[in-house]
Amino acid sequence: MRLQLSTWPEVEAYLGRSTGIVVPIGSTEQHGPNGLIGTDALCPEAIAWALGERHDILIGPTLSLGMAQHHLAFPGTLSLRPGTLIALLRDTLDSLGRHGFTRVLFLNGHGGNIATLKAAFAEVYATRSLAAAPASGAPRPALFNWFLGRRVRELAAELYGDAEGYHATASEVALSWYVAGVEKSATMTPRIAPLGSAECDAETFRRRFPDGRMGSDPSLARREHGARFLEAGVADAWEAWQGLIDEE
């Protein structure tokens, strides 16, 4: 069940049986010579949609812009500032809380979002804790990074070994290709990209990683691999969802 394809009476009826929602979040940024710019949003969105269909969970609209300033030297990348993303997340949680949602799982597809998501959660909790009257029924946010799930990591190790890398990875490229129904080819030079820190500005990042990859060889990706990563990602996300719902 997708929020943007539902009517308000349908959402009201859903709230009668569940007060949890999954919100996919990602980024719009370069993913090396053969990776789609929308990879980090396409992957968590596909996992969330499948999760919702199989387990009757409401899925919110994908937040497709994230923390990608270090990729801005590559054409097509879009980025938010940290404060902008924090404000977006706080307003999203306040809106959902207004309707009675009590559990919100942000299903994340971009490593660069992690620190800001955690900062946004800290802001939300600080506001509640410092309020004169504690808010009752306010939503509890949680973060799950699909690419760090146990089954996904095991599958990536099986298929790609050390060539999986850290950005423009074969696993995320394969899943995005499967979701989008496309496959791209490009020459990787060197075959496995260099490693290094991404905590830098855009120009420095491009000097360190000339084609946008970090420690990866996404030429190993195959669209058929994406079907396996989708299944692994849904199973991992289901565990994360159950953990959130079962929390006191």
Side-chain angles (χ1 to χ4, degrees):
M1 182 177 177
R2 304 179 198 174
L3 182 67
Q4 62 267 48
L5 299 182
S6 304
T7 65
W8 72 258
E10 290 172 329
V11 175
E12 190 168 70
Y14 173 86
L15 282 163
R17 63 182 186 271
S18 174
T19 58
I21 185 171
V22 172
V23 179
I25 182 169
S27 183
T28 299
E29 63 185 51
Q30 68 83 19
H31 272 78
N34 67 345
L36 307 180
I37 286 174
T39 293
D40 282 352
L42 289 167
C43 291
E45 181 177 75
I47 292 169
W49 286 356
L51 181 71
E53 290 171 0
R54 296 178 193 183
H55 299 289
D56 188 29
I57 302 169
L58 184 63
I59 307 301
T62 302
L63 307 181
S64 58
L65 297 184
M67 297 296 301
Q69 65 79 22
H70 51 291
H71 295 295
L72 282 170
F74 295 88
T77 296
L78 305 176
S79 181
L80 300 178
R81 297 176 185 273
T84 306
L85 183 55
I86 289 172
L88 172 62
L89 293 166
R90 292 186 67 179
D91 287 352
T92 299
L93 286 166
D94 285 347
S95 297
L96 292 170
R98 173 68 175 78
H99 302 309
F101 289 95
T102 62
R103 296 289 190 274
V104 182
L105 180 65
F106 288 94
L107 183 49
N108 180 42
H110 174 48
N113 285 341
I114 295 173
T116 306
L117 276 158
K118 290 181 177 179
F121 295 172
E123 289 280 358
V124 167
Y125 286 131
T127 298
R128 294 176 193 169
S129 298
L130 293 167
S136 60
R140 177 179 299 177
L143 169 63
F144 178 68
N145 305 297
W146 81 268
F147 49 89
L148 295 180
R150 176 179 60 83
R151 295 170 183 82
V152 166
R153 301 314 306 152
E154 289 174 352
L155 180 57
E158 172 193 330
L159 293 173
Y160 314 124
D162 292 341
E164 165 72 349
Y166 296 94
H167 178 67
T169 63
S171 59
E172 62 182 345
V173 168
L175 178 52
S176 66
W177 284 355
Y178 176 72
V179 170
V182 302
E183 194 161 329
K184 308 279 186 176
S185 62
T187 301
M188 303 295 161
T189 306
R191 188 179 69 81
I192 297 180
L195 292 170
S197 174
E199 294 181 0
C200 56
D201 60 56
E203 299 306 324
T204 302
F205 185 94
R206 183 148 187 178
R207 285 196 302 272
R208 291 176 180 172
F209 312 104
D211 69 359
R213 298 176 295 139
M214 296 178 65
S216 65
D217 178 13
S219 69
L220 298 173
R222 299 292 182 270
R223 192 166 71 183
E224 58 267 26
H225 295 169
R228 297 177 66 187
F229 280 110
L230 180 62
E231 291 304 312
V234 171
D236 287 338
W238 173 236
E239 282 189 358
W241 174 257
Q242 289 178 304
L244 175 62
I245 294 301
D246 292 342
E247 276 185 346
E248 294 184 358

